[in-house]
Amino acid sequence: MKKIFLILSVLSMQFFLSQKKTGIKADNKKNASVETNTKSSLSLSKEEINLYNGKFLKFISALKISDRNAMDALLSESAKKKITETVYKKLSTDIDTSKTFEIINAVYKPFIDGSSFPMIQYKYSDDKSAEPKEVITAVFEKDGKILGIKPYKVIK
């Protein structure tokens, strides 16, 4: 068995996920239908993807030149209160702003309190592996303001 630990930190919110890979597969067709319906209802529309992706790319451009005012303008009010210069420095070292990004997942992320927020996950465009080595997750408010950005490396 292979155990993968993934820590996703969305600024002030932290979620810990543990996943075990096993050889067991469900063969119940009813479950497959439910999974398909859930996936399509959680997916972002093309317009939403364009809005949130645009905000993310503007943030990355501002991060590249260390434009704190431009980055702050793209953040939600709750995120602005919690972001420090240290967080910006950490993001600038963990995200390679010279590379281009490719969307690998665009969904509404449900949270334990019943709320859900738009989330887009990116990989670097030059990463051609089946499972990307690095993933950047961005969570947004519905109006496009950024709640959090978290880069992480997939550990095998």
Side-chain angles (χ1 to χ4, degrees), residues 42 44 48-49 51-52 106-111 116-120 137-145 147-148:
L42 293 178
L44 298 179
E48 290 171 316
I49 292 170
L51 169 68
Y52 304 132
V107 297
Y108 278 96
K109 175 70 176 165
F111 290 92
S116 64
F117 292 95
M119 178 186 79
I120 298 180
T137 300
V139 179
F140 304 87
E141 289 183 334
K142 301 229 185 316
D143 66 357
K145 294 287 186 174
L147 281 171

Side-chain angles (χ1 to χ4, degrees), residues 68-101:
R68 174 81 187 248
N69 291 333
M71 290 184 284
D72 283 345
L74 295 164
L75 295 177
S76 71
E77 290 304 315
S78 61
K80 281 183 206 176
K81 294 175 186 174
K82 296 174 182 151
I83 299 298
T84 63
E85 191 61 35
T86 306
V87 173
Y88 283 128
K89 285 180 183 177
K90 180 80 170 131
L91 280 176
S92 67
T93 59
D94 290 349
I95 297 174
D96 188 346
T97 57
S98 66
K99 292 187 177 184
T100 57
F101 301 91

Side-chain angles (χ1 to χ4, degrees), residues 14-78:
Q14 290 189 346
F15 302 93
F16 298 96
L17 307 171
S18 177
Q19 178 182 4
K20 278 187 183 178
K21 287 192 175 187
T22 63
I24 299 172
K25 290 185 179 179
D27 61 350
N28 187 338
K29 298 202 187 282
K30 187 175 181 181
N31 286 342
S33 173
V34 170
E35 184 179 321
T36 302
N37 290 339
T38 304
K39 277 188 174 183
S40 64
S41 67
L42 293 178
S43 297
L44 298 179
S45 71
K46 192 171 194 168
E47 294 79 22
E48 290 171 316
I49 292 170
N50 288 337
L51 169 68
Y52 304 132
N53 185 50
K55 300 285 184 172
F56 172 79
L57 294 176
K58 284 180 184 177
F59 184 88
I60 294 299
S61 294
L63 183 65
K64 186 175 189 172
I65 60 172
S66 300
D67 184 347
R68 174 81 187 248
N69 291 333
M71 290 184 284
D72 283 345
L74 295 164
L75 295 177
S76 71
E77 290 304 315
S78 61

